[in-house]
Amino acid sequence: MPAGSIIGAAFAILAIATPAAAHGPGDVVTPHFAQAIPNIPGKTLTALVVDYPPGGASVPHNHADSAFIFAYVLSGEIESKVNDGPIRIYRAGESWHEPPAARHLVSRNASRTKPAKLLAVFVADTGEKALTTPVD
């Protein structure tokens, strides 16, 4: 299968795997990259860019049981709380990671006047049905 077809299929899967219900009107999630990892059979690397307007936030959500996540703040400041950890503020150039099956209870722009942008990189099982789902 040509690389373009693989990437196109991965983005189609990604569109299904990141339902709008897991995100609020306070964020815009844009698929950036998805690729099977050739030397780790059954795993896919997926990158998303999350844009937060001033005061914007994601709804509390769970991550897939198989998903290890690396988060990197591209611009602005992001307030985040994962599982039972403290609420922390991460600034542009700072990063954190989230274990598989993490509960991401707070994910929002720390500023009410400036936008913020986050790069989220997932390593998850290929074919994972949903990378994020809203907390019940």
Side-chain angles (χ1 to χ4, degrees):
M1 180 180 279
S5 297
I6 292 170
I7 292 171
F11 277 115
I13 290 168
L14 181 59
I16 294 167
T18 53
H23 303 283
D27 67 0
V28 176
V29 179
T30 305
H32 184 68
F33 177 87
Q35 179 66 49
I37 303 172
N39 60 338
I40 308 176
K43 296 291 183 183
T44 296
L45 180 73
T46 302
L48 308 170
V49 175
V50 183
D51 286 284
Y52 292 102
S58 300
V59 298
H61 54 275
N62 295 321
H63 290 293
D65 289 347
S66 71
F68 175 83
I69 299 138
F70 170 77
Y72 180 82
V73 181
L74 298 167
S75 63
E77 298 179 341
I78 304 290
E79 203 168 6
S80 181
K81 175 180 174 58
V82 177
N83 294 329
D84 293 327
I87 293 177
R88 295 207 35 209
I89 294 178
Y90 297 91
R91 291 165 177 77
E94 295 181 330
S95 62
W96 72 93
H97 69 278
E98 300 176 25
R103 290 176 58 89
H104 203 160
L105 302 173
V106 174
S107 184
R108 63 182 167 228
N109 187 341
S111 172
R112 294 219 167 268
T113 61
K114 297 178 185 174
K117 185 179 289 197
L118 171 72
L119 173 67
V121 179
F122 292 70
V123 175
D125 289 348
T126 300
E128 183 75 58
K129 297 283 187 237
L131 295 177
T132 61
T133 55
V135 170
D136 295 331

